[in-house]
Amino acid sequence: VINDLVFGPPLTTEDFATYLELGEYAFSEAPPATPRLARLTEDEPDEPIYRVGRRAGEIVCRARVVPMGQWFGGQVVPMGAIGGVVVAAEHRSGGVGTALAADFIRAAHGRGMAISTLFPASLPLYRKVGYELAGASYYWEIPIGATAPPRRSDDGIVVQRWSGGDFALRPLYDQEASRTSGQLDRPPTFWTGVMESHGQAVHAFVAERDDNPVGYITFTQTGKYDAERYIDVLDFVTTSRAATRALWTFLTGHSGTVSHVRTWGGATDTRLFDLPHRGQRILTVEPWMVRIIDLPGALMARGYPDRVAAELHLDYRDDILPDNSGRWLVRIADGRATVERGGDGRIVLTSRGLAPVYTGYLPAASVADPAVLSGTAEDLASMTTVFAGPTPWMADSF
Ligand SMILES: CC(C)(COP(=O)(O)OP(=O)(O)OC[C@H]1O[C@@H](n2cnc3c(N)ncnc32)[C@H](O)[C@@H]1OP(=O)(O)O)[C@@H](O)C(=O)NCCC(=O)NCCS
C-alpha cells in the first residue's frame, strides 16, 4: 500500500506541462500547439477527466478518462476510455501505477460511467485492480486477389464517391454497431479520424440502393504501385451482406494497382464471410480489457437477447468500489435487466470474472478461475446464455 500519493486534476499551467512531458517521454505524444488548460479542469460531463498523482508535491504519474459509450446487446453502455497511463520512469515498479489505476477507477465511478475499457500495454497492473480481457480487435490483411471477382454487384447496389461529410454516415455506423458488439459510441472527435488522415488523401465511397445509403468505406492508399500497395481502411461499414459484397467488388476493381486491403475487424466478422478466396492474414491483435465500474448500472445499460428470461443471484466483491459489493438479484426479461439488492448469492464473482462474460467474449465456464468467478454448472450456463452475443471487437482504438 502506498499512502504518500495525493491524486487530483492538474491545476496549473506547470502541472499541465508536466502532464504533457510524461506523455512525450512514454509515447512520443506530440504536445498540442496551444495548451488548453481550461479543458483539463472544466467540470463538463463529456470532457476528459485528467488525473495526476503527486509525491511530496511533485507530479509522478498521470492518466485520463474519456467518457464515451460502448455497444453491447444493441444498447450503449456509458464507458470511461482510459488512456495515457504513465508513471515517471524513476518512480516505476513501486506500486505507483497500481495506485494511479485505483484513482482513475474511482474518478470514473464518480462521473456515472458504468464500465471502463482500455488497451493494455501490459496486463498484470490492470488485473490487480479488476480489469480483465473482454474483447480483441484484429488487423486483417487481405490479398486483393481474394476479394471478389471483378464484376458489378447484381444486388441493385451502386458504389459512388462520397463527399457529403460524416453526418449522413453516422446512422449506418450506429445501425451496424447495434448489431455487433464492442463498438464505440463515437464521440465527434473520433469521426475526424474516419474522414481525415494526417495530410494523406482520404477516399470515401458509399454503397446505395434506390438512393439510400446501405454501407460506406473510407480509406487511404499507401506504398508504391509497382510493388506492395495497400488500401488502408479507416472505416468499412455495411448494413447487409449484399452491401458487403458490393464493397468487396468495388475494392477488387483496384487489383491492377493495389496488392492488399488492410482493415481492423473482429475474429468472427461477417464482412470477411463474403471473401470468395483464402489468403487473408492477421497482422496484429489488440486485446482490450474491461472493468465494471457501476455494477447495477452496467447490468441495466446493456441489452440482452429478446427471448431470454433468467435470474442471476450474484455475490459480488469489489475492494476498490465497495458500493458494488454484496448480493444482487438480476432479473433479465424482454431484452433488459432489473437489478436489486438481495438474492441467494449463488454466483460468487469479481469484476475480473464478470467483465469477459458481460461483453460476450467468454462463456462463464471458460473463465475457469474460482478466484474471480464460481457457481454451479447450471448457474454459469445461464449466465453464459444471458450475455451471449457476437464476439466483441472495435474498429477504433484510444
Ligand atoms: C506500466 C506502468 C504505468 C506501470 O507503473 P508502475 O508504477 O511500475 O506499476 P506498479 O509498480 O504498480 O506495478 C503493478 C504491477 O504491474 C506489473 N508491471 C508493471 N510494469 C510492467 C511492465 N512494463 N511489464 C510487465 N509488468 C509490469 C508489476 O509487476 C506489478 O505487479 P506485481 O505488483 O504483482 O509485481 C509504467 O511502467 C509506465 O508508465 N510505463 C510506460 C507507459 C506505459 O506502458 N503505459 C501503459 C499504457 S496502457
Side-chain angles (χ1 to χ4, degrees):
V1 180
I2 306 202
N3 47 23
D4 66 337
L5 289 170
V6 180
F7 290 95
L11 295 172
T12 62
T13 315
E14 290 74 39
D15 286 355
F16 185 36
T18 310
Y19 183 97
L20 295 176
E21 278 160 22
L22 287 170
E24 199 179 7
Y25 183 92
F27 310 123
S28 308
E29 265 177 13
T34 325
R36 293 175 59 197
L37 183 62
R39 281 190 64 152
L40 299 181
T41 48
E42 258 169 10
D43 228 23
E44 305 251 332
D46 292 335
E47 286 292 319
I49 305 167
Y50 294 86
R51 302 294 292 176
V52 295
R54 293 164 215 268
R55 175 173 267 166
E58 181 203 350
I59 291 179
V60 297
C61 61
R62 53 89 124 176
R64 66 178 170 269
V65 186
V66 186
M68 47 182 99
Q70 205 173 358
W71 290 86
F72 293 105
Q75 302 290 334
V76 173
V77 177
M79 181 272 273
I82 307 299
V85 178
V86 183
V87 173
E90 64 277 30
H91 291 272
R92 290 180 191 171
S93 305
V96 175
T98 310
L100 172 66
D103 170 74
F104 63 62
I105 286 166
R106 291 192 187 101
H109 186 251
R111 297 287 195 94
M113 282 163 254
I115 62 170
S116 164
T117 301
L118 57 80
F119 287 87
S122 65
L123 282 69
L125 164 77
Y126 298 115
R127 284 210 165 108
K128 285 178 77 163
V129 295
Y131 285 86
E132 190 46 271
L133 293 175
S137 309
Y138 295 75
Y139 197 48
W140 291 92
E141 180 185 83
I142 300 129
I144 196 79
T147 51
R151 273 190 279 107
R152 286 240 160 242
S153 158
D154 58 1
D155 295 303
I157 295 175
V158 291
V159 177
Q160 316 233 49
R161 188 171 272 280
W162 177 254
S163 54
D166 61 52
F167 273 93
L169 306 181
R170 292 187 195 187
L172 294 177
Y173 172 88
D174 287 343
Q175 188 182 332
E176 186 53 13
S178 74
R179 278 204 320 218
T180 56
S181 197
Q183 299 298 336
L184 291 187
D185 181 33
R186 284 187 178 146
T189 46
F190 276 57
W191 279 98
T192 314
V194 167
M195 309 303 283
E196 288 173 28
S197 182
H198 303 297
Q200 259 183 305
V202 172
H203 305 286
F205 291 86
V206 63
E208 290 179 337
R209 174 184 270 146
D210 302 330
D211 292 333
N212 295 314
V214 292
Y216 67 89
I217 186 165
T218 68
F219 59 87
T220 60
Q221 298 190 82
T222 54
K224 288 215 177 80
Y225 103 94
D226 52 355
E228 303 280 279
R229 190 155 191 259
Y230 299 94
I231 284 181
D232 284 322
V233 171
L234 300 172
D235 229 5
F236 181 169
V237 172
T238 59
T239 57
S240 67
R241 296 281 287 276
T244 305
R245 283 193 295 272
L247 285 176
W248 281 126
T249 304
F250 163 78
L251 289 170
T252 307
H254 297 71
S255 59
T257 54
V258 163
S259 59
H260 298 85
V261 176
R262 296 190 292 208
T263 185
W264 284 100
T268 49
D269 187 329
T270 48
R271 297 171 309 165
L272 303 177
F273 271 40
D274 286 301
L275 293 173
H277 305 294
R278 298 185 305 147
Q280 62 268 39
R281 300 195 291 156
I282 294 165
L283 301 178
T284 314
V285 183
E286 286 289 355
W288 34 274
M289 303 177 95
V290 169
R291 192 201 200 276
I292 307 297
I293 298 292
D294 167 9
L295 180 76
L299 292 167
M300 290 190 292
R302 62 155 289 161
Y304 297 86
D306 267 341
R307 306 224 186 285
V308 171
E311 278 188 1
L312 303 176
H313 294 253
L314 307 183
D315 181 0
Y316 193 83
R317 316 273 162 89
D318 191 334
D319 296 340
I320 295 175
L321 300 171
D323 287 0
N324 289 328
S325 292
R327 290 192 171 189
W328 297 96
L329 176 57
V330 186
R331 289 199 182 85
I332 286 107
D334 303 322
R336 303 306 304 226
T338 57
V339 184
E340 57 189 69
R341 285 278 177 195
D344 306 334
R346 299 198 301 265
I347 302 174
V348 182
L349 75 177
T350 68
S351 173
R352 285 190 53 212
L354 180 55
V357 185
Y358 175 90
T359 63
Y361 188 55
L362 286 186
S366 300
V367 173
D369 181 354
V372 300
L373 174 62
S374 65
T376 62
E378 199 183 328
D379 280 326
L380 295 187
S382 109
M383 197 179 162
T384 301
T385 309
V386 159
F387 295 112
T391 311
W393 69 277
M394 71 174 108
D396 300 282
S397 59
F398 47 81

